[in-house]
Amino acid sequence: MKQVPKLTFVRSTGRYRARWYVGVDEYNEYFGSDKEQAEIQYAVWKAEWIQASVANKVRQATNTTGWHAAAGLSPDITDELTLRELGERYLAEMREEHTKNEAKNKRLVVDHVLRHVGDIFWSEFGTAAYKRLQKALIKERRTRNRINKICGEVRAWMKWCHVNELISRKLHHDFRDVGPVKKEKRNKRKSGPPILEAKRKIPVTWDKVTPILPFMSPVIAAMVTVQYWGGMRPSEVCEITLGELDMADDACWFYEPWENKVDRFIDDDDEESEYDLYKALGPQAQDAIRPFVEMCSDPGDHVFRPIYAMEWRANQMEQGGRREDRKCPVYPSELKAREIRKATRHKKWQRTINPYYSLNSYGKAVSYAFQKAEASGEKLKRWSPGQLRHGIATALRAMGRLQDAKALLGHKSITMTTNYAKLTKDELRRVVGSLDELNAA
């Protein structure tokens, strides 16, 4: 299907028109000089033009390969689809084939297109609109990597539409020719908002973690310890349940999440698969998690619960409010009132507080610990839970144990591990020190 003619203003005539070509013949449709009236008339004419164009393709393909194949449309479609309609069909299938988080990311990509490009017909979604989407994302101050990832998802969406015969043009090929958003060169920045680069995740070593642990609640300190020494993602440490822990071996406990990012490739949960994810917990992680494991009774109980931090904080406030030089005796009625308040508070928390930490609440708890440290006069360099996984990988690489880092992090490829384990001076010092052995040989 040809691209829908656009509405333009002709200065020489003072009127709005739409112009298109059939072969070498030129055709024009005029809509007057008033802009609002011209846009209304153009919208009606545009719908009629699209219907006539689709109907013409139907007539041409009736006696050949089938009208839907020639027109690039599915048999149940009688008119050209808009981007919103394409997005609804695309997301309906993605929700069945992908995990919840992946389907959510694809929904956000469709929302980006609808917000910046508009709910237009797919034939109007060309390379100019694709570039307009890139520029709009730059204005939103999104990083270059994120913009290119969103545009990659847009190409995947258009490819899916073409494979399912919802559109007749290979838009994903056209968009690929546009190319990604490139990094700006030094002293050669173009006009407009700057292209932001993603901040590099700096690994956090254990000696930078230990000073902040006293300012955390016991449950958060245990989560940080388990995440670091287990090489876990923040989401994995937040959702540990009793039934996912294998504590048969005292030297090494194993944590196998019931759900992970690649479990959709597992056909049978009862059989071993290359996509099974195991996390190992050594002595340091065991000592941190053991007190909270002992408080769990059901296999579905989450090990790290926010209610533990709430109870700890309430006890801290209660003890801090008591005066050691109190002269008035504590009467039994006051002790009873304290127990009643504690029981009422506990029941309310059990009813209203989530049974496990989310990524947001876990990150906020770590950030709150740094606020407490700064208020007490300690100046510590801030870090986030996402940096802990990079820290243990970098420490193992500096010791020449990159394969051990790959196993601990649960990667299938050593290339992915190198993205986490950064090159450090300690590793270079170790390599240079081993050069003497080569010289001696």
Side-chain angles (χ1 to χ4, degrees), residues 307 341-352:
I307 194 172
R341 286 197 301 270
K342 185 176 180 180
T344 304
R345 186 173 59 215
H346 187 77
K347 289 181 180 179
K348 181 181 178 182
W349 287 342
Q350 285 184 328
R351 189 172 62 252
T352 58

Side-chain angles (χ1 to χ4, degrees), residues 233-236 238-239 356-364 385:
R233 300 178 180 88
S235 59
E236 293 169 350
C238 289
E239 299 179 5
Y356 61 92
Y357 279 93
S358 64
L359 290 176
N360 189 28
S361 58
Y362 178 35
K364 285 184 177 180

Side-chain angles (χ1 to χ4, degrees), residues 388-411:
L388 297 175
R389 183 172 161 89
H390 293 252
I392 187 65
T394 302
L396 288 172
R397 177 175 176 174
M399 299 168 62
R401 299 167 57 185
L402 192 59
Q403 287 291 342
D404 293 346
K406 172 179 173 291
L408 186 66
L409 269 61
H411 289 153

Side-chain angles (χ1 to χ4, degrees), residues 287-357:
D287 293 341
I289 198 175
R290 185 176 284 107
F292 301 96
V293 170
E294 294 173 353
M295 290 189 282
C296 299
S297 56
D298 189 85
D301 290 344
H302 288 87
V303 175
F304 299 118
R305 307 181 202 175
I307 194 172
Y308 296 154
M310 298 291 288
E311 291 174 348
W312 174 82
R313 190 173 295 111
N315 291 334
Q316 291 290 107
M317 293 176 63
E318 188 175 351
Q319 293 176 3
R322 294 177 185 173
R323 291 173 51 188
E324 296 181 359
D325 58 344
R326 176 173 176 166
K327 298 180 180 180
C328 180
V330 180
Y331 293 100
S333 58
E334 184 176 347
L335 294 175
K336 185 177 180 180
R338 289 179 184 176
E339 293 299 325
I340 293 175
R341 286 197 301 270
K342 185 176 180 180
T344 304
R345 186 173 59 215
H346 187 77
K347 289 181 180 179
K348 181 181 178 182
W349 287 342
Q350 285 184 328
R351 189 172 62 252
T352 58
I353 296 179
N354 290 333
Y356 61 92
Y357 279 93

Side-chain angles (χ1 to χ4, degrees), residues 219-337:
V219 63
I220 295 297
M223 290 176 69
V224 169
T225 305
V226 171
Q227 183 189 347
Y228 183 88
W229 294 108
M232 298 184 188
R233 300 178 180 88
S235 59
E236 293 169 350
V237 74
C238 289
E239 299 179 5
I240 298 178
T241 60
L242 181 61
E244 296 172 332
L245 291 174
D246 180 6
M247 299 175 285
D249 187 359
D250 293 337
C252 179
W253 292 359
F254 293 98
Y255 164 49
E256 182 182 3
W258 285 331
E259 294 183 359
N260 62 76
K261 61 189 299 184
V262 294
D263 64 352
R264 65 178 183 277
F265 299 114
I266 301 176
D267 297 328
D268 189 354
D269 293 335
D270 297 330
E271 297 182 1
E272 291 188 2
S273 169
E274 61 174 325
Y275 297 105
D276 289 332
L277 180 64
Y278 297 99
K279 294 294 181 179
L281 303 181
Q284 301 95 331
Q286 290 180 25
D287 293 341
I289 198 175
R290 185 176 284 107
F292 301 96
V293 170
E294 294 173 353
M295 290 189 282
C296 299
S297 56
D298 189 85
D301 290 344
H302 288 87
V303 175
F304 299 118
R305 307 181 202 175
I307 194 172
Y308 296 154
M310 298 291 288
E311 291 174 348
W312 174 82
R313 190 173 295 111
N315 291 334
Q316 291 290 107
M317 293 176 63
E318 188 175 351
Q319 293 176 3
R322 294 177 185 173
R323 291 173 51 188
E324 296 181 359
D325 58 344
R326 176 173 176 166
K327 298 180 180 180
C328 180
V330 180
Y331 293 100
S333 58
E334 184 176 347
L335 294 175
K336 185 177 180 180

